Amino acid sequence: EAVVQEFGPAQVGQSFGPTWETCWFKAELSIPPAWAGREVHFVWESDGEGMVWRDAQPVQGLTKEGEKTSYILTRSLKESEPHSLTLYVELACNGLFGAGKGSMIAPPDPDRRVTLSKAELVVFNRDVYELLVDLEILLDMAQLLGEENQRSFQALYTANQMVNVCDVMDPSTFPAARDLAAAIFSQRNGESQHTIHAMGHCHIDSAWLWPYEETIRKCARSWVTVVQLMEHNPELTFACSQLGLIPVLWQAQQFEWVRRSYPGLYARIQHFVAKGQFIPVGGTWVEMDGNLPSGESMVRQFLQGQRFFQEQFGRICSEFWLPDTFGYSAQLPQLMRGCGIQRFLTQKLSWNLVNSFPHHTFFWEGIDGSQVLTHFPPGDSYGMHGRVEEVLKTVKNNKDKGRVNHSAFLFGFGDGGGGPTQKMLDRMKRMSDTDGLPRVQISTPDQLFSVLEKESSQLCTWVGELFLELHNGTYTTQAQIKKGNRECERILHDVEVLSTLAVAQDKEFQYPASQLQQLWRLLLLNQFHDVLPGSCIQLVVEDALQYYTEIRRVGAQLQEKAVESMCRDLLQPEEGSTQSTLVLNTLSWERTEVISRPGPNGKETLALVTVPSMGYALVQEPLVPPQLVKVYKGEDGSITMENGVISVCMDTMGRLISLRLMDSERESIANGCANQFALFDDVPLYWDAWDVMDYHLETRKPVTTVLKPLEVTLAGGLRGSVKFSLKVGKSSTLTQEIILDAMCPYLRFQTQVEWKEAHKFLKVEFPVNVRSTNATYEIQFGHLQRPTHWNTSWDWARFEVWAHKWLDLSEHGFGVALLNNCKYGASVHRNILSLSL
């Protein structure tokens, strides 16, 4: 499509844009015959990300920030090679890290332009390059090994001799200078030296500071560069954790588009996978958030990921590779083991703001006792550059010295893509076994974990969650994304339950497997660790919300088809039969609840019904509760509701003054003030969408401005309800309805917030008359206890934590639980349960 366009002249220094646009350049090259025998490069430098195309195939990614600014045309120009050729450069008008206005994580500048600063045909002097790499390694050794180490002085004096021997105007002096360096690099280590397992790596965020669509091109730019390196460096290995992005980032049409756009590249990747150089790792569909997806979603991440690797490459992954997410659920070890994975690699806990995690290699034990061998690269990065400083840090920083003598070293530009470079490889070749430095070998994840397994007898065990002491705001940021995720998880659960019941009842019903897979993959894509947490740009948020809308739409259709098939006869009542209502229950316990249904005159009416677990009931005559809901209004404006199970009293601001079980005299509410909304300042040190700092707790301001005082909206019977409105901050409003149904053992809150604040954090608090040193929080397929005190730095670093559908504070024989349908941020300090809104 690009080749057939009409091209006009372009100049170095010219700017192109705006942001997210794509510009194509046609570069017609003519190599002088006098360059015979020389190495010739096409050099291209710009502020944007580029891709060189040759003969309709991508051949080289170009990113100035990723130190990739040239395409090698020939390593030694031969007379038989073409001296005239045409290349095409595809230029994306965004940088490696998007187009933030003023700072990397600022919203993108929509009018940003990229400048073409260099477009040249050059001779590359490989001898000078090799000399410079030699000198760089020697000077780093001299500077970093320290005065107490004799190798530091040997490296320094060797570098000095090289400068003396080398005449930059006389290339014939270069070999003698290089021989001096080779003599140092050939002096070997002893057998006890630490071994670093170096693996090429290129962490590419599926969406972050750029939209999903740009990620497809980032993958192509990065991986074509890796494949080019492998052509000339057969020892290079590359661990790739999200290979699913290239052929199947989205469904149907995008799959076909990508396969048509990069079929040659994909074939080359498969070739190097077969050779064992391009190594698929990860095991999941995307590198998902490690906290917020439900248990079922996490299982589907592994199911879809492992199935893809099996279909495409004939094997499943034995390593779970999740280097960059904001904490790791205590349920993950059990899920990993259940999906054929016994090894785990990450490094994110090195970002802890308060406590330094005590291990780099250890066994991680989940809530059921399942264990996985876990490794954090001791260099605390997944984007190393192969420098002396980094390999020395890897050894010095390793917290499990003596227990193991091997560690990972992931090299290559990451986050925005890029990957390894030739210079990184050339640095490490010189350090492969050089006395004074750790032994560096190009390796694979399997080789690393295999040797760690052999050395594992002395390793320590960490039990429970791997909590990241940073980015606690991601449990709450972008409320609509959080709500969409929870709702769509529920919708897919219900579709599968109802479709399964329909298959059991109707042999002609076709289970919608392919449609469900498409919907699951959309949901799993949105669980990427910068999308579900909300730490992404507005373009990505819009895409994510659109995908949730699609899941809701198609999910509703599939539910309807399943119900029609399962209950066809019940939905076609005979003439003269009493009007009835079909009620379904997709949960695994019998439920007796008040429902709303259309009445004879079209108005909504209430009915009390009982429906069996995972089943349905045809309701004609609703149940009569043993006691109806009663609503009383006091002289002071307070309102009391009771239903024979619980009794609640609220003041004019909607705060709970009292909440108790009616067969008990015990009061649940402490200080007569629960359901208290509170506003906090939210000004983190740097990561605005990610972080909420502990000092925000010092800025608490109760929300007390009443717009509409508490009033009765339903006066009792099957349901009692009250409603009120508050002003929040400068310009936001909150309206809440508090509902009590007949026979119901809990109080419901329906809350609507019109949010217009900036750098503010809204929570709701429930002080209760319960004393316990631990609170319980729901996680994936289980629960977790966390302290309610701040005795240690490990305790107070968890001032804001995550939970799924409930948190509970209980003592022997009594407790209070707080449930939610779309929130994740929470905390329990002393006796106050707090939900972040």
Side-chain angles (χ1 to χ4, degrees):
E1 185 183 344
V3 167
V4 297
Q5 301 302 309
E6 192 171 320
F7 288 84
Q11 301 293 328
V12 170
Q14 193 172 342
S15 295
F16 303 89
T19 307
W20 310 124
E21 285 294 307
T22 300
C23 298
W24 284 83
F25 297 82
K26 183 178 182 181
E28 295 176 335
L29 310 180
S30 180
I31 304 174
W35 290 3
R38 311 294 291 275
E39 182 171 336
V40 182
H41 291 198
F42 169 61
V43 173
W44 177 280
E45 288 186 17
S46 75
D47 304 315
E49 293 189 271
M51 171 89 92
V52 179
W53 291 75
R54 183 174 182 175
D55 301 327
Q57 292 297 326
V59 291
Q60 177 67 51
L62 297 169
T63 309
K64 189 175 180 181
E65 296 158 286
E67 296 181 6
K68 297 177 183 68
T69 56
S70 68
Y71 167 56
I72 301 175
L73 296 169
T74 175
R75 292 178 184 270
S76 179
L77 183 64
K78 299 180 179 65
E79 193 175 332
S80 59
E81 289 184 276
H83 285 47
S84 296
L85 67 155
T86 299
L87 302 177
Y88 291 88
V89 178
E90 177 188 13
L91 180 65
C93 295
N94 52 268
L96 195 63
F97 292 96
K101 189 172 185 176
S103 78
M104 181 182 76
I105 61 171
D109 180 353
D111 300 315
R112 185 166 167 181
R113 303 180 73 80
V114 298
T115 302
L116 175 59
S117 54
K118 190 177 287 187
E120 297 175 350
L121 200 58
V122 303
V123 170
F124 184 78
N125 193 321
R126 180 69 56 179
D127 292 334
V128 171
Y129 163 82
E130 299 288 2
L131 260 178
L132 290 172
V133 177
D134 286 344
L135 280 166
E136 178 194 320
I137 300 297
L138 289 170
L139 292 173
D140 281 352
M141 288 175 66
Q143 185 176 11
L144 298 168
L145 287 177
E147 291 189 7
E148 69 281 358
N149 191 323
Q150 69 168 358
R151 288 292 280 174
S152 166
F153 288 94
Q154 291 171 356
L156 177 62
Y157 281 96
T158 299
N160 188 64
Q161 284 180 281
M162 289 173 67
V163 173
N164 292 338
V165 166
C166 182
D167 180 351
V168 294
M169 304 305 292
D170 182 3
S172 67
T173 63
F174 295 174
R178 291 213 61 210
D179 287 344
L180 291 168
I184 283 279
F185 299 143
S186 63
Q187 292 171 338
R188 302 303 179 206
N189 275 300
E191 290 184 11
S192 66
Q193 183 59 273
H194 187 87
T195 300
I196 286 174
H197 292 249
M199 295 165 248
H201 191 249
C202 177
H203 181 66
I204 303 176
D205 285 321
S206 299
W208 179 29
L209 304 174
W210 51 87
Y212 281 125
E213 285 186 75
E214 186 58 33
T215 307
I216 299 173
R217 299 199 296 181
K218 281 180 174 288
C219 291
R221 286 191 287 263
S222 301
W223 294 340
V224 74
T225 304
V226 170
V227 167
Q228 285 289 101
L229 283 174
M230 287 177 175
E231 301 274 10
H232 299 284
N233 299 272
E235 77 282 2
L236 172 61
T237 60
F238 180 73
C240 180
S241 59
Q242 295 192 92
L243 202 63
L245 287 171
I246 267 214
V248 281
L249 177 61
W250 296 337
Q251 306 320 307
Q253 75 247 22
Q254 280 84 6
F255 177 91
E256 289 303 317
W257 179 82
V258 175
R259 200 158 57 175
R260 282 199 305 268
S261 297
Y262 306 111
L265 170 59
Y266 193 62
R268 292 170 76 191
I269 287 173
Q270 289 182 308
H271 167 71
F272 284 106
V273 169
K275 289 182 70 175
Q277 288 180 258
F278 204 108
I279 304 163
V281 295
T284 51
W285 187 245
V286 296
E287 289 185 6
M288 77 279 194
D289 181 85
N291 298 323
L292 308 187
S294 69
E296 188 62 38
S297 289
M298 283 191 169
V299 169
R300 301 304 175 107
Q301 288 282 358
F302 284 106
L303 173 68
Q304 295 291 340
Q306 293 286 53
R307 178 182 289 167
F308 173 78
F309 289 122
Q310 182 68 50
E311 289 173 354
Q312 293 290 316
F313 307 113
R315 67 176 188 85
I316 64 172
C317 294
S318 58
E319 304 88 15
F320 181 35
W321 197 276
L322 192 59
D324 183 30
T325 193
F326 313 140
Y328 304 87
S329 167
Q331 182 57 276
L332 275 167
Q334 182 180 7
L335 298 182
M336 282 186 246
R337 294 298 295 256
C339 298
I341 292 175
Q342 300 181 36
R343 303 158 165 181
F344 175 47
L345 182 141
T346 185
Q347 62 80 50
K348 197 64 177 186
L349 261 65
S350 65
W351 284 47
N352 271 8
L353 199 61
V354 181
N355 299 285
S356 177
F357 193 78
H359 302 294
H360 281 104
T361 306
F362 58 99
F363 285 105
W364 180 24
E365 185 175 304
I367 59 175
D368 74 320
S370 297
Q371 291 189 348
V372 290
L373 178 59
T374 301
H375 182 68
F376 298 174
D380 293 341
S381 172
Y382 51 69
M384 296 294 200
H385 294 172
R387 298 183 184 278
V388 171
E389 180 181 12
E390 295 166 343
V391 299
L392 291 175
K393 179 184 178 182
T394 296
V395 178
K396 181 180 180 181
N397 202 40
N398 186 2
K399 295 186 173 74
D400 296 282
K401 297 186 194 76
R403 295 190 180 100
V404 290
N405 204 26
H406 295 257
S407 58
F409 185 91
L410 308 180
F411 64 95
F413 288 93
D415 290 335
T421 66
Q422 185 65 53
K423 182 174 279 190
M424 295 175 192
L425 280 168
D426 292 337
R427 288 173 182 142
M428 289 185 292
K429 285 174 186 175
R430 288 157 171 80
M431 295 187 283
S432 61
D433 193 4
T434 296
D435 185 26
L437 298 176
R439 193 176 283 111
V440 180
Q441 66 180 48
I442 300 295
S443 185
T444 67
D446 183 61
Q447 289 171 4
L448 167 68
F449 277 104
S450 293
V451 72
L452 290 177
E453 285 165 352
K454 291 176 183 176
E455 296 181 343
S456 65
S457 62
Q458 301 297 314
L459 291 179
C460 298
T461 299
W462 182 271
V463 179
E465 67 182 328
L466 296 174
F467 185 85
L468 178 65
E469 296 171 357
L470 195 68
H471 296 353
N472 319 55
T474 59
Y475 316 145
T476 306
T477 296
Q478 293 290 355
Q480 290 299 324
I481 284 184
K482 305 295 193 289
K483 185 176 183 181
N485 180 72
R486 184 78 64 79
E487 284 186 358
C488 289
E489 287 177 336
R490 178 186 56 76
I491 288 167
L492 293 179
H493 166 271
D494 289 355
V495 170
E496 291 184 337
V497 167
L498 296 171
S499 298
T500 303
L501 292 173
V503 167
Q505 297 238 133
D506 182 356
K507 292 180 180 177
E508 294 182 4
F509 180 79
Q510 292 291 313
Y511 188 85
S514 61
Q515 289 167 287
L516 277 166
Q517 172 156 293
Q518 288 183 8
L519 296 182
W520 267 112
R521 286 183 171 181
L522 273 185
L523 180 61
L524 300 181
L525 182 63
N526 271 358
Q527 289 173 349
F528 179 73
H529 66 252
D530 278 309
V531 179
L532 179 53
S535 50
C536 52
I537 60 172
Q538 186 64 26
L539 274 175
V540 180
V541 173
E542 291 167 3
D543 283 343
L545 296 180
Q546 181 183 332
Y547 296 163
Y548 291 137
T549 300
E550 178 69 5
I551 294 168
R552 290 185 184 104
R553 183 185 68 80
V554 179
Q557 293 174 355
L558 295 178
Q559 283 189 30
E560 192 174 336
K561 287 180 182 177
V563 172
E564 285 176 357
S565 173
M566 181 171 56
C567 306
R568 187 176 294 112
D569 296 338
L570 299 175
L571 294 170
Q572 297 170 347
E574 297 175 5
E575 277 189 45
S577 63
T578 308
Q579 186 179 17
S580 56
T581 304
L582 179 67
V583 185
L584 298 110
N585 175 17
T586 56
L587 297 181
S588 54
W589 58 89
E590 181 183 86
R591 293 159 68 190
T592 298
E593 293 180 16
V594 175
I595 64 163
S596 178
R597 62 174 181 169
N601 56 3
K603 288 186 177 180
E604 292 288 310
T605 61
L606 300 176
L608 182 66
V609 301
T610 295
V611 187
S613 70
M614 295 285 188
Y616 56 86
L618 197 63
V619 178
Q620 293 179 339
E621 294 297 325
L623 303 174
V624 178
Q627 185 170 326
L628 295 172
V629 179
K630 297 175 183 176
V631 181
Y632 312 97
K633 188 161 187 176
E635 293 181 3
D636 58 356
S638 65
I639 297 175
T640 300
M641 298 191 294
E642 54 187 47
N643 65 357
V645 183
I646 60 176
S647 173
V648 59
C649 182
M650 298 145 288
D651 69 11
T652 56
M653 291 174 56
R655 297 178 300 193
L656 306 191
I657 302 169
S658 170
L659 176 65
R660 58 186 179 85
L661 294 168
M662 294 191 70
D663 60 0
S664 164
E665 293 303 313
R666 179 159 179 173
E667 176 57 57
S668 302
I669 304 302
N671 307 322
C673 187
N675 194 36
Q676 172 66 66
F677 294 92
L679 197 63
F680 300 80
D681 292 344
D682 179 25
V683 186
L685 297 175
Y686 177 68
W687 298 100
D688 199 352
W690 290 256
D691 284 349
V692 57
M693 313 308 294
D694 57 348
Y695 52 76
H696 87 282
L697 296 170
E698 301 171 17
T699 66
R700 178 183 181 275
K701 296 179 182 66
V703 176
T704 56
T705 305
V706 178
L707 296 177
K708 289 184 181 177
L710 191 72
E711 61 181 7
V712 176
T713 48
L714 280 176
L718 289 178
R719 173 173 293 167
S721 66
V722 296
K723 197 172 187 179
F724 64 95
S725 296
L726 302 174
K727 182 181 179 183
V728 180
K730 288 187 177 180
S731 50
S732 300
T733 57
L734 180 150
T735 301
Q736 186 178 76
E737 187 175 18
I738 303 175
I739 301 165
L740 181 63
D741 285 343
M743 297 181 64
C744 188
Y746 54 84
L747 200 59
R748 280 194 295 140
F749 303 85
Q750 291 189 345
T751 314
Q752 184 78 30
V753 181
E754 189 71 26
W755 186 249
K756 297 179 180 178
E757 306 306 299
H759 292 110
K760 298 293 181 183
F761 197 173
L762 181 65
K763 303 184 184 186
V764 63
E765 300 168 343
F766 290 82
V768 296
N769 281 319
V770 179
R771 181 169 177 80
S772 176
T773 55
N774 289 291
T776 307
Y777 302 80
E778 191 205 23
I779 66 169
Q780 299 84 354
F781 298 133
H783 60 264
L784 194 69
Q785 289 197 326
R786 300 184 179 110
T788 58
H789 55 75
W790 293 344
N791 281 359
T792 71
S793 59
W794 293 89
D795 298 332
W796 68 257
R798 288 185 278 185
F799 58 88
E800 176 80 5
V801 297
W802 61 273
H804 282 194
K805 294 187 287 292
W806 55 263
L807 53 148
D808 169 90
L809 187 64
S810 290
E811 57 190 54
H812 180 69
F814 188 83
V816 180
L818 183 58
L819 292 78
N820 76 85
N821 68 351
C822 62
K823 297 297 172 186
Y824 296 92
S827 65
V828 181
H829 184 226
R830 311 291 289 186
N831 68 325
I832 299 175
L833 289 81
S834 177
L835 189 67
S836 299
L837 306 179

